[in-house]
Amino acid sequence: MPARSHYLNNAATTWPKPECVAKAMAAFLEGRGANLARGSASRRDLGTLDMVTTCRMKIAALFGGPDADPRNVTFTANVTEALNIVLKGFLKPGMRAATSSMEHNAVMRPLRRLEGEGVSLAVMPCTREGTLEPDTLARELKKGLDLVVLSHASNVCGTVQDLDRLAPLCAAAGVFLVLDTAQTGGVLPIDATGWNLAACCFTGHKGLLGPQGTGGILWRDDFASVCRPLIEGGTGSFSHEEVQPSVLPDKFEAGTPNLPGLAGLLASLDWLGETGIDTIRKREDELGRKLLFGLRDIPGITLYGIGTMENRLPVFALNFDGVDNGRAALELADRWGIETRPGLHCAPVAHRTLGSFPQGALRISPGFFNTEEEIELCLEAVSTLSRENPHS
Ligand SMILES: Cc1ncc(COP(=O)(O)O)c(C=O)c1O
């Protein structure tokens, strides 16, 4: 086993995190630690309220711009929970929903459950590169829909959907659009207000560089008001009532939130603000370009998705001719200390679209903290595996 490891699995979760994240989490647990809205308005109570409110404000501004209302931010454990709250809170038997053929199971599994309960579901086909064409969406909208839910970018091959063209189609048809920003939050500009998103669902532990166990939703008022909460219980407010409050943020936030996680998320949002999303995007794009152009030159491998850096994130899926991608991932880890992810990436429908089902693919996803040397090492390692492959 090599002494050093090289983490190229940032599409699963980003690592390392900025140092301030762990420090803020430890500082919360060790020094403050008060619950949210469930104390006596002591300094410690107010400190927690201030921390959570500031985090709401930063999320609202990041996804919705300066006019977005921080009360419309719901915190959840991750984007999977966020999507479940939104989809199960809105869709009822007899309604019609559409999604794309590039979705993660965080979207597809709740939709399939709802389909079994009488919601009708259209899975709109994407191109072989994973792009949803506006014409495909327009055709589906014409048939009549109640909701569209899309991933902003693929966690398998990095293809980014063109929201500037897709979102206005939903707005013009008066159909609610829900966006899964798991792969793009903190990496690409997201304009929940301009795109008229009904719900912008996010996860804290990927591009936002925060801890696992954080995520949430930025709601549009009219959509939030027609969704039922998935979980009901104590909110620290309206305690004289036995029914769930209907005001935001309380409506969708029953139970004690992940406060150490939110302390860490707030620190990472501050760090993102200081560093700048443009800087992060530029750096990731440079590393991605180097990796992509190098991979394209290696014989004996198949690359999936877009063949350039246009409209894509640095998330690359590939297969070796004749070498199982699980075996390749193990070899990369054991011989070079390179951490990747093989298999189906919780997105079987995306692999079907790309032509890599059922075997899946090896996914390599560099992040902001990787170095050029690590990309070179990865290219050397992939090239060596391909050369050693007796079938190539
Ligand atoms: C596009 C997409 N959606 C949803 C998820 C689920 O994220 P989480 O596990 O944080 O809920 C992921 C994670 O890989 C993803 O990439």
Side-chain angles (χ1 to χ4, degrees):
M1 190 72 146
R4 261 199 77 198
S5 75
H6 307 280
Y7 187 77
L8 293 173
N9 191 17
N10 288 275
T13 196
T14 50
W15 189 85
K17 310 292 182 189
E19 271 176 34
C20 57
V21 174
K23 281 191 182 145
M25 294 175 78
F28 177 82
L29 285 167
E30 288 164 9
R32 308 208 300 278
N35 206 335
L36 177 67
R38 289 153 172 93
S40 59
S42 67
R43 280 172 77 95
R44 290 185 337 112
D45 295 320
L46 295 178
T48 296
L49 181 62
D50 182 48
M51 182 270 284
V52 175
T53 306
T54 310
C55 201
R56 276 192 220 287
M57 289 165 71
K58 299 216 168 204
I59 288 287
L62 178 68
F63 292 121
D67 295 335
D69 189 337
R71 286 171 297 191
N72 287 22
V73 173
T74 291
F75 287 118
T76 62
N78 45 50
V79 75
T80 303
E81 188 185 2
L83 288 159
N84 271 267
I85 289 173
V86 166
L87 298 174
K88 292 176 180 167
F90 176 71
L91 290 169
K92 297 179 193 66
M95 286 184 167
R96 212 170 162 263
T99 192
S100 87
S101 72
M102 284 303 288
E103 301 303 309
H104 189 278
N105 273 341
V107 167
M108 205 49 94
R109 285 182 173 171
L111 285 178
R112 290 297 184 201
R113 149 71 74 103
L114 289 160
E115 189 183 29
E117 293 169 358
V119 171
S120 126
L121 175 65
V123 179
M124 299 177 283
C126 295
T127 66
R128 188 82 167 183
E129 292 178 332
T131 302
L132 177 63
E133 297 291 1
D135 283 352
T136 309
L137 174 60
R139 266 197 303 281
E140 210 52 55
L141 284 165
K142 266 202 189 131
K143 296 182 198 162
L145 289 173
D146 296 288
L147 176 139
V148 172
V149 52
L150 297 176
S151 290
H152 193 189
S154 163
N155 66 308
V156 176
C157 65
T159 301
V160 177
Q161 304 299 357
D162 186 352
L163 264 293
D164 287 336
R165 293 175 70 207
L166 298 169
L169 298 176
C170 293
V175 173
F176 291 126
L177 173 60
V178 174
L179 194 65
D180 169 3
T181 68
Q183 290 296 329
T184 51
V187 179
L188 292 184
I190 289 168
D191 185 6
T193 306
W195 293 337
N196 202 25
L197 297 184
C200 177
C201 300
F202 64 94
T203 208
H205 67 102
K206 299 191 197 252
L208 295 182
L209 298 171
Q212 291 84 6
T214 58
I217 306 158
L218 173 62
W219 297 91
R220 207 174 77 201
D221 277 322
D222 58 339
F223 185 62
S225 68
V226 294
C227 288
R228 277 163 48 129
L230 193 62
I231 295 173
E232 285 142 325
T235 53
S237 63
F238 302 94
S239 294
H240 58 294
E241 290 181 356
E242 292 183 12
V243 293
Q244 188 71 8
S246 58
V247 297
L248 293 175
D250 310 35
K251 181 173 177 181
F252 300 102
E253 283 186 357
T256 298
N258 175 5
L259 296 168
L262 292 180
L265 181 61
L266 177 56
S268 72
L269 290 169
D270 282 337
W271 186 92
L272 277 176
E274 282 155 26
T275 308
I277 285 187
D278 284 352
T279 308
I280 290 170
R281 169 78 178 141
K282 197 161 162 274
R283 173 70 183 149
E284 292 194 356
D285 204 62
E286 277 165 14
L287 294 172
R289 191 173 301 273
K290 188 174 174 74
L291 183 54
L292 174 63
F293 286 18
L295 289 172
R296 286 197 319 204
D297 287 342
I298 299 174
I301 64 170
T302 303
L303 263 172
Y304 301 93
I306 298 174
T308 66
M309 284 308 286
E310 298 305 308
N311 305 321
R312 61 136 57 244
L313 300 177
V315 177
F316 304 102
L318 62 95
N319 269 311
F320 293 83
D321 294 349
V323 183
D324 173 72
N325 59 71
R327 176 81 233 157
L330 269 179
E331 296 240 357
L332 287 173
D334 285 353
R335 292 167 61 185
W336 291 276
I338 295 172
E339 296 176 47
T340 59
R341 182 175 177 208
L344 288 166
H345 315 99
C346 303
V349 70
H351 279 281
R352 284 184 199 277
T353 302
L354 298 169
S356 47
F357 188 86
Q359 79 274 24
L362 177 78
R363 183 182 68 189
I364 309 178
S365 50
F368 182 75
F369 294 108
N370 284 120
T371 62
E372 264 82 8
E373 292 70 32
E374 287 179 303
I375 302 298
E376 280 155 23
L377 180 74
C378 178
L379 287 170
E380 183 50 40
V382 170
S383 179
T384 304
L385 281 187
S386 184
R387 258 199 323 273
E388 289 173 359
N389 168 19
H391 299 279
S392 65

